[in-house]
Amino acid sequence: MYGELVPVLGGDPVPLLKKRLLVGRRESCDIVLRFANVSAHHCELECRGGYWYVRDLNSRNGTKVNGVRVAEKRINPGDELGVAKHRYEFVYAPLELGAVGPPPSDDIPEDILQKSLLDRAGLQRRADTRRRHDILDENPRSVLRDREDD
């Protein structure tokens, strides 16, 4: 066993039986959470270098670590993992899982330079919406006349 998730509001602990676990509502997931607000494939848990990491899989209701919504983050022992509105204390011992030295950086270097800051923050507008707004800003009357001609 690689640790466990202990429900904050009580209930049976969920054992972490593999180093990579899919969490979601579907029966095909490694950890099945049968709640309507949990996505079919909500998040992935992975143990790397003795530490657990969570990666949100574009879930509708989000994944949180210590109350902060995350896309991907290291989970330290004792941290609280939120899957939708369901909260679990993450219990594990990094040394028993092979950790050496201080915890690694929280920075996730993979694909960090592949997306713009606006896109990573979820603020990137679609190109066609942006073009429509640019046209309206330049000459709103010509756009309105074009629509009336249709």
Side-chain angles (χ1 to χ4, degrees):
M1 189 165 83
Y2 299 97
E4 61 186 5
L5 298 176
V6 179
V8 171
L9 298 177
D12 295 331
V14 178
L16 304 173
L17 300 175
K18 301 187 308 186
K19 286 192 168 192
R20 179 177 272 176
L21 299 161
L22 180 61
V23 179
R25 198 176 64 242
R26 289 247 168 98
E27 293 297 324
S28 60
C29 293
D30 299 303
I31 298 175
V32 179
L33 301 176
R34 293 180 184 93
F35 302 104
N37 61 350
V38 174
S39 295
H41 296 131
H42 199 95
C43 63
E44 182 179 61
L45 301 172
E46 183 178 13
C47 184
R48 297 189 304 246
Y51 289 90
W52 280 95
Y53 293 80
V54 63
R55 182 169 55 96
D56 186 74
L57 300 175
N58 297 318
S59 64
R60 180 177 298 191
N61 292 309
T63 302
K64 295 180 179 181
V65 174
N66 297 326
V68 178
R69 193 167 182 161
V70 297
E72 185 169 350
K73 183 162 179 41
R74 185 185 71 241
I75 305 171
N76 293 316
D79 279 354
E80 185 179 284
L81 174 68
V83 178
K85 299 277 185 196
H86 311 281
R87 299 177 304 145
Y88 302 88
E89 180 185 356
F90 221 99
V91 179
Y92 72 101
L95 292 176
E96 291 177 14
L97 300 178
V100 178
S105 170
D106 247 355
D107 295 335
I108 309 298
E110 308 165 27
D111 85 329
I112 198 160
L113 298 175
Q114 302 300 321
K115 294 181 179 179
S116 72
L117 287 173
L118 288 174
D119 191 33
R120 286 186 304 178
L123 300 173
Q124 187 71 33
R125 289 192 285 183
R126 291 184 3 188
D128 59 338
T129 303
R130 190 174 32 240
R131 277 195 301 270
R132 190 175 312 121
H133 287 288
D134 290 344
I135 292 170
L136 282 172
D137 289 343
E138 289 173 11
N139 192 350
R141 289 189 180 147
S142 67
V143 172
L144 292 175
R145 274 196 305 269
D146 291 343
R147 286 188 184 160
E148 291 171 359
D149 292 341
D150 288 341

